Amino acid sequence: MSSLVKIRSERDQMSAVERRIADFILENAQLLRDYSSQQLANALGISQSSVVKFTQKLGFKGYPDLKYSVGEAIARADNGDAGEIATDLRGGETELRANELWRRKSEAEEETRLINAPKTLQAVADAIAAAGCKGKVFMIGLGDDDIYARSFALRLSLLGIPSVHNFDAPRMAASVSAAGAGDVLLVFSEHGSHQALCKIGRFFRERRGLLISVTRHTSNPLRALADLALLVSAHDDRPYIQPVLYQSALQHLLDRVFVQLCEGDEQRHVQLLANLERVQQALEP
């Protein structure tokens, strides 16, 4: 795992001092080889011990190990850049931009994969599967988040797992009044701070249902309330790129849950094939 990817993926969970160190390294990775831990501390106006603790928290033995790892990451990136330059000469600037976007999406997906433990994804898949057999799966997202809630609800229906999907908070509040133990509610909220969704989540938990949040990898009210949390890590300084990365990483995360549901039960797999065939027949002229 690249040290730079690890720093970027962990940044949102760091303290203010740790974020300053992380941002400096991410923005000045090429210069890090010329900095001792004391020089880095002086540049940021912090103590040397803060730098050492930062490196150890990331799993490195010390600052020299971190510096070496960052150097390796830069070397790998430089090799990739050389390939991009050759592509640029052959295919033009548009192709170069496409390659850069693909790389940034890949990084976001990798960061998201690293912060969602396999046992968490398995627990989410198991909860949805159990609710599909003996209970109900509720699903809500507002605005752009509804796109993914709606799409995931459709995928679940293909597996024979019906869901109660809604994009209207008051109606969902009424729907979850019928929830009970064993039911599952997935709440899609990028920033996890929408008050109406948090209220619905609390109401659902009062009904003894299991709440699953799908948010950014930040400390937020919805994530704190959830029994299980799916997290998305996607960062970019460009305001038009960051949402693209978030959407790509989120879709990849949901794909992983869907695949686990498909492969976790032969009956669901058979149901999927049968439903796909029915859909195809319905689309034929």
Side-chain angles (χ1 to χ4, degrees):
M1 172 176 51
S2 165
S3 55
L4 295 177
V5 169
K6 184 174 180 62
I7 291 171
R8 194 179 297 112
S9 67
E10 295 290 334
R11 183 189 178 281
D12 289 339
Q13 301 303 307
M14 294 178 180
S15 66
V17 172
E18 291 168 344
R19 284 197 297 271
R20 288 176 60 194
I21 301 172
D23 290 342
F24 183 90
I25 293 174
L26 292 172
E27 295 169 8
N28 304 279
Q30 295 279 5
L31 305 177
L32 196 64
R33 63 184 178 184
D34 299 323
Y35 277 74
S36 66
S37 59
Q38 185 61 64
Q39 288 172 321
L40 177 57
N42 292 341
L44 294 172
I46 59 176
S47 66
Q48 184 182 19
S49 63
S50 295
V51 175
V52 174
K53 290 178 181 177
F54 172 83
T55 60
Q56 292 174 341
K57 188 173 181 179
L58 288 172
F60 296 97
K61 294 180 180 179
Y63 178 75
D65 288 339
L66 171 63
K67 189 160 67 168
Y68 178 78
S69 180
V70 170
E72 283 190 325
I74 293 172
R76 288 195 294 271
D78 286 343
N79 291 335
D81 289 343
E84 283 187 358
I85 292 172
T87 301
D88 185 30
L89 293 174
R90 294 193 303 270
E93 188 175 349
T94 300
E95 186 67 20
L96 180 60
R97 288 199 190 101
N99 287 342
E100 171 63 17
L101 180 59
W102 176 84
R103 174 183 295 163
R104 295 294 293 119
K105 283 185 174 182
S106 298
E107 289 174 351
E109 290 170 5
E110 181 182 4
E111 293 165 18
T112 298
R113 177 178 58 82
L114 293 172
I115 60 177
N116 290 278
K119 63 179 182 181
T120 299
L121 265 66
Q122 188 61 57
V124 169
D126 289 345
I128 293 173
C133 293
K134 299 181 180 180
K136 297 177 288 294
V137 179
F138 297 83
M139 211 168 303
I140 186 171
L142 304 180
D144 289 345
D145 291 307
D146 177 59
I147 297 172
Y148 299 92
R150 185 186 300 270
S151 175
F152 197 61
L154 175 60
R155 284 184 161 193
L156 292 185
S157 68
L158 291 174
L159 293 174
I161 302 176
S163 63
V164 180
H165 165 256
N166 214 316
F167 57 86
D168 182 82
R171 291 186 179 181
M172 180 56 82
S175 296
V176 299
S177 65
D183 290 343
V184 168
L185 169 63
L186 281 89
V187 181
F188 292 75
S189 178
E190 180 175 354
H191 300 289
S193 57
H194 199 291
Q195 291 187 3
L197 295 180
C198 291
K199 289 178 180 178
I200 291 172
R202 292 190 194 95
F203 184 34
F204 188 78
R205 292 200 65 189
E206 289 174 1
R207 306 292 298 176
R208 296 186 299 155
L210 187 141
L211 176 62
I212 301 174
S213 65
V214 186
T215 71
R216 277 190 173 274
H217 182 39
T218 57
S219 298
N220 60 73
L222 185 60
R223 176 184 176 185
L225 184 65
D227 298 289
L228 294 169
L230 293 176
L231 305 170
V232 179
S233 178
H235 309 281
D236 198 279
D237 293 333
R238 294 163 291 181
Y240 56 93
I241 293 294
Q242 181 158 286
V244 173
L245 302 183
Y246 177 83
Q247 293 158 11
S248 176
L250 171 57
Q251 186 60 65
H252 187 69
L253 177 61
L254 296 176
D255 289 345
R256 291 175 64 194
V257 176
F258 177 71
V259 169
Q260 286 193 227
L261 285 166
C262 290
E263 297 178 347
D265 185 272
E266 181 61 29
Q267 185 175 353
R268 283 199 299 270
H269 188 220
V270 171
Q271 182 74 61
L272 171 67
L273 296 178
N275 283 334
L276 288 175
E277 185 176 352
R278 292 190 186 96
V279 170
Q280 184 61 38
Q281 290 175 353
L283 293 175
E284 291 176 354

